[in-house]
Amino acid sequence: MRQLPRPGQRLVAALATTALLALPLTALAAAPAQAATASHPFPSHTTYKLGVMPSASQASRDAAVQKQYDTWKANYLVHGCASNEYYVSTKGDGDATNNGPVSEGQGYGMNIVPLMAGYDANAQTEFNGLWQLVKDHEDQYGLMQWQLDGKTCKYYSSGTPDGATDGDLDIGYGLILADKQWGGYSADAMAWLSAFYAHDVAPDGHLKCEDDGPNTDTRPSDFMLDHLRAFAAYDTTHDWNKVVTRTEAVVNEFTSSYSATGGLLSDFVVNANTTSPSPAPANYQESQPDNIVGYNSIRVPWHLGTDALLYGGSTALAVAKKESACLKGESGGNPQKIYPHTKLDCTAYSTTDQAEEAGDAVGPAAMAAGDQAWTDTLWNYLATNPFGDGYYGESIKMLVYLVMSGDYWAPNGSSSPANDFSVSTSPGSGTVTAGQAASTTVSTAVTSGSAQSVALAATGLPSGATAAFSPASVTAGGSATLTVSTGAATPAGSYPITVTGTAASGSHSTSYTLTVSSSTGGGCTAAQLLVNPGFEGSSATPWTQTSTLGFQPITASTSAEPAHAGTHIAWFDGNATADTDSIAQTVTIPAGCTATLTYWLHVDTTENTTTAKPDTFKVQVLNTAGTVLATPGSFSNLNHNTGYAQQTSDLSAYAGQTVTLKFTGTETDTNGGTTNFVIDDTALNVK
């Protein structure tokens, strides 16, 4: 349940250490001696009923989910208040005192953790701790007290402790996921669903806003139709189909009257027990206002889009299509400009408040709508956090990542893991003199379902080169040798070769970089050696990226940080907190060549100093052992400028060597300001 509007600023307070009563994540006293084997281990690779998937490879999608989970878990999964409890901290959003839990966040955690079992070896222990905290803090109806203090875990909100429908929905769904994943939670799940049905479902079947709330109101952000369908399959003692039917009716009745084109639903709805549900008054329960889309209803395209993907529901699909188009139009195709406060006619109520989750939540709706380009844009946006959002945005992002990656499965079996595989090369690069050949091992693995035959092919070969696989096809789990033979006239340069495996389930690709040097024995063939020098496309390959906060530097450009050319940039720091970001690429500089590194650099800062250098940016050359050989570029917040400036460094001293070029931005946050270092259009020219 969202009770407070979020601050309207670009950079939210850093992920600071708080005074949580936190214990080590390995010390859960009441955990079972050995966790059960996961029945649906991550990654699940679900085949949805309809829609499109992001164009990024399955392997890269899985990796993105893992990275987000690692960050989310490190920042928000807290071991406390009791030794056998875990909770999801509201750090960064102020939804509870001392960054304590709310039932909404506890439900998010109880969905996320079972879905990550198989990747997270401690998932069942963590789930048990999350569930224990819920059981230790039930209200008068046996549902979770919606808001707890982070130190004592005591209910602190005013009045008699009550429960919030969204959190209680997710907690019930999490129990079913856990029962299907590990077994042993059936009695808990059935008892929870019984209490929920008795107190959160109105007599006509619509969802109430809270367990002690009136039978006249509802909140569209609770319209988790995929959860309700799972409840109906799992618990046949209650008429969950009535709840599904009435929820769909409220959606249709409301949108036909108030948002026929956009399919938007307001934060709160009154008269839900009639055939004429309507927007709540502006300040009915909160102050966002409540009669338009706000921080509650931004979740609707995520929930309805997910239901359409998993079940193909006609109501969810129709609304998801409208909302996807509506919000794409509002933003001009820029996810950052999907505003948390949007009027029902698809225009922004306010552009002064922005939040990552407003754009993140649209991804499942775009997938269901079949809009490939918009889906890809939203997928790429997930890798960013442009406004420094905390618990709320990062938790929604985690769940949306699972849906968009295809790793979100329905516990009632409406969707099932499909046959799928991965493909990789080792080594991932090779160097030859023109006329010679290089080899690499192409490995495949079964990632879900059963093994299948995989045919191998290579594209992107340089002129005069040929590729041969031995064998030409393998059964998933097997490997082949790829030999790339160059001709005497093959031009010198660095070439990204795409290796593709194709099976009945589809195709997956990986890359192999071949560097060719001249065979003349003298002179140097002019070439530009860097691959993807402008960071374009959906993949950063072959650039490697690191970030202490989990934000990949290579990202789509924005109006605030435009590209020098193209649509992507490498953006370091700018998070108003201590952070180190880097990108790197390994290249071989041919012997006998002069080498010049160039790149375009833009620096902007809010640091108010003319002498101190709390924020720095370095360009370094490393050898194959990772030792820094030189730092040909060094900048700081003092080098801020109004646009891009081209920088040049002579790297001729490294001709004949394989080196790694590394760009690193470091922000200390010691002065209270923040600095953005942005580069674009790199080049390593030899001649």
Side-chain angles (χ1 to χ4, degrees):
M1 173 177 285
R2 303 300 292 168
Q3 291 289 333
L4 299 171
R6 291 155 51 78
Q9 58 187 22
R10 179 182 183 275
L11 295 173
V12 180
L15 299 176
T17 301
T18 63
L20 293 169
L21 183 61
L23 301 172
L25 292 180
T26 58
L28 192 61
Q34 183 173 357
T37 301
S39 298
H40 298 269
F42 178 90
S44 61
H45 299 168
T46 300
T47 301
Y48 296 137
K49 296 289 186 180
L50 49 79
V52 298
M53 298 299 296
S55 297
S57 70
Q58 183 66 66
S60 66
R61 298 200 302 266
D62 293 342
V65 175
Q66 293 170 355
K67 181 177 181 180
Q68 174 63 16
Y69 180 68
D70 291 341
T71 300
W72 176 86
K73 180 178 172 180
N75 281 289
Y76 305 109
L77 188 60
V78 175
H79 189 179
C81 294
S83 63
N84 61 343
E85 292 178 349
Y86 279 89
Y87 67 73
V88 175
S89 167
T90 55
K91 183 168 57 174
D93 286 288
D95 286 0
T97 55
N98 294 311
N99 295 329
V102 293
S103 60
E104 156 213 289
Q106 203 72 359
Y108 290 155
M110 290 177 67
N111 283 207
I112 292 168
V113 171
L115 292 169
M116 294 304 297
Y119 174 71
D120 184 351
N122 297 318
Q124 189 176 15
T125 296
E126 293 152 2
F127 180 87
N128 289 339
L130 291 165
W131 172 226
Q132 187 65 48
L133 183 132
V134 173
K135 291 188 290 183
D136 290 345
H137 299 87
E138 293 180 349
D139 68 3
Q140 60 185 320
Y141 300 121
L143 299 167
M144 183 179 171
Q145 299 175 8
W146 82 272
Q147 190 178 46
L148 305 176
D149 178 81
K151 290 184 178 179
T152 66
C153 284
K154 291 182 178 180
Y155 184 79
Y156 77 91
S157 191
S158 60
T160 302
D162 62 346
T165 299
D166 58 349
D168 293 336
L169 269 166
D170 272 327
I171 290 168
Y173 193 71
L175 286 167
I176 297 176
L177 285 172
D179 195 42
K180 297 298 183 180
Q181 185 70 280
W182 300 296
Y185 299 88
S186 176
D188 287 337
M190 293 295 288
W192 188 268
L193 295 182
S194 180
F196 183 94
Y197 195 93
H199 302 291
D200 281 324
V201 177
D204 71 333
H206 80 262
L207 295 169
K208 297 160 57 177
C209 297
E210 53 273 325
D211 57 8
D212 62 351
N215 290 325
T216 56
D217 301 349
T218 194
R219 190 173 58 153
S221 59
D222 300 339
F223 293 175
M224 306 174 201
L225 287 167
D226 71 304
H227 289 21
L228 297 174
R229 296 188 206 279
F231 293 176
Y234 192 86
D235 172 22
T236 58
T237 62
H238 298 93
D239 191 0
W240 293 104
N241 289 318
K242 180 176 78 169
V243 186
V244 171
T245 300
R246 183 59 197 146
T247 300
E248 291 180 326
V250 171
V251 171
N252 290 326
E253 292 161 359
F254 183 96
T255 55
S256 64
S257 297
Y258 298 99
S259 189
T261 300
L264 300 179
L265 293 103
S266 57
D267 261 17
F268 290 90
V269 170
V270 296
N271 303 318
N273 58 331
T274 74
T275 57
S276 300
S278 57
N283 296 305
Y284 187 64
Q285 285 208 27
E286 301 178 12
S287 57
Q288 293 200 44
D290 295 336
N291 61 344
I292 61 172
V293 174
Y295 278 99
N296 289 292
S297 281
I298 58 173
R299 294 175 285 185
V300 171
W302 158 35
H303 290 319
L304 295 189
T306 299
D307 180 63
L309 292 169
L310 284 176
Y311 299 96
S314 58
T315 293
L317 178 59
V319 174
K321 286 182 176 179
K322 290 180 179 180
E323 291 193 336
S324 173
C326 159
L327 298 171
K328 181 180 181 180
E330 175 196 35
S331 65
N334 180 356
Q336 289 192 33
K337 294 184 179 181
I338 299 175
Y339 296 101
H341 296 108
T342 296
K343 294 185 285 187
L344 300 181
D345 64 357
C346 300
T347 60
Y349 171 81
S350 169
T351 60
T352 60
D353 188 18
Q354 293 177 273
E356 64 157 308
E357 60 265 25
D360 291 343
V362 182
M367 291 170 64
D371 190 333
Q372 186 68 65
W374 186 218
T375 295
D376 289 343
T377 296
L378 292 162
W379 169 261
N380 292 333
Y381 176 67
L382 288 179
T384 71
N385 183 358
F387 312 112
D389 287 14
Y391 136 78
Y392 187 57
E394 288 298 285
S395 296
I396 289 175
K397 172 192 288 184
M398 182 68 238
L399 285 157
V400 169
Y401 249 136
L402 283 160
V403 174
M404 295 193 73
S405 67
D407 292 314
Y408 189 86
W409 48 271
N412 53 324
S414 69
S415 54
S416 58
N419 294 337
D420 209 350
F421 68 97
S422 64
V423 60
S424 61
T425 58
S426 180
S429 62
T431 301
V432 296
T433 301
Q436 297 179 342
S439 297
T440 185
T441 299
V442 180
S443 299
T444 62
V446 176
T447 56
S448 66
S450 302
Q452 52 189 320
S453 179
V454 179
L456 301 171
T459 56
L461 298 170
S463 173
T466 59
F469 291 90
S470 179
S473 63
V474 298
T475 299
S479 61
T481 299
L482 166 62
T483 301
V484 180
S485 301
T486 62
T490 297
S494 187
Y495 301 94
I497 297 172
T498 299
V499 179
T500 302
T502 302
S505 64
S507 298
H508 295 294
S509 298
T510 188
S511 64
Y512 174 75
T513 301
L514 180 69
T515 300
V516 181
S517 60
S518 173
S519 63
T520 60
C524 178
T525 301
Q528 195 289 111
L529 302 183
L530 293 180
V531 180
N532 193 10
F535 317 120
E536 301 300 328
S538 60
S539 171
T541 303
W543 294 98
T544 58
Q545 307 182 71
T546 65
S547 171
T548 56
L549 292 181
F551 306 139
Q552 294 190 11
I554 296 178
T555 185
S557 60
T558 69
S559 58
E561 298 294 350
H564 176 257
T567 61
H568 284 66
I569 56 178
W571 183 350
F572 306 78
D573 307 321
N575 297 297
T577 186
D579 182 28
T580 298
D581 299 331
S582 72
I583 66 170
Q585 184 175 148
T586 299
V587 296
T588 298
I589 302 176
C593 291
T594 59
T596 304
L597 172 67
T598 62
Y599 51 96
W600 292 85
L601 172 66
H602 169 60
V603 182
D604 59 70
T605 187
T606 59
E607 296 284 2
N608 187 21
T609 175
T610 58
T611 57
K613 299 179 181 180
D615 307 325
T616 61
F617 183 75
K618 293 182 179 180
V619 183
Q620 295 176 312
V621 180
L622 292 74
N623 64 17
T624 54
T627 301
V628 175
L629 302 176
T631 303
S634 184
F635 307 90
S636 73
N637 47 284
L638 301 182
N639 298 110
H640 60 87
N641 52 358
T642 57
Y644 283 92
Q646 190 176 39
Q647 309 295 328
T648 302
S649 301
D650 185 3
L651 303 187
S652 302
Y654 308 104
Q657 299 181 44
T658 297
V659 296
T660 297
L661 301 181
K662 186 175 183 180
F663 300 82
T664 303
T666 301
E667 182 172 8
T668 65
D669 197 34
T670 56
N671 284 30
T674 188
T675 304
N676 300 284
F677 298 100
V678 181
I679 64 170
D680 197 5
D681 295 330
T682 64
L684 180 56
N685 291 301
V686 296
K687 62 181 181 179

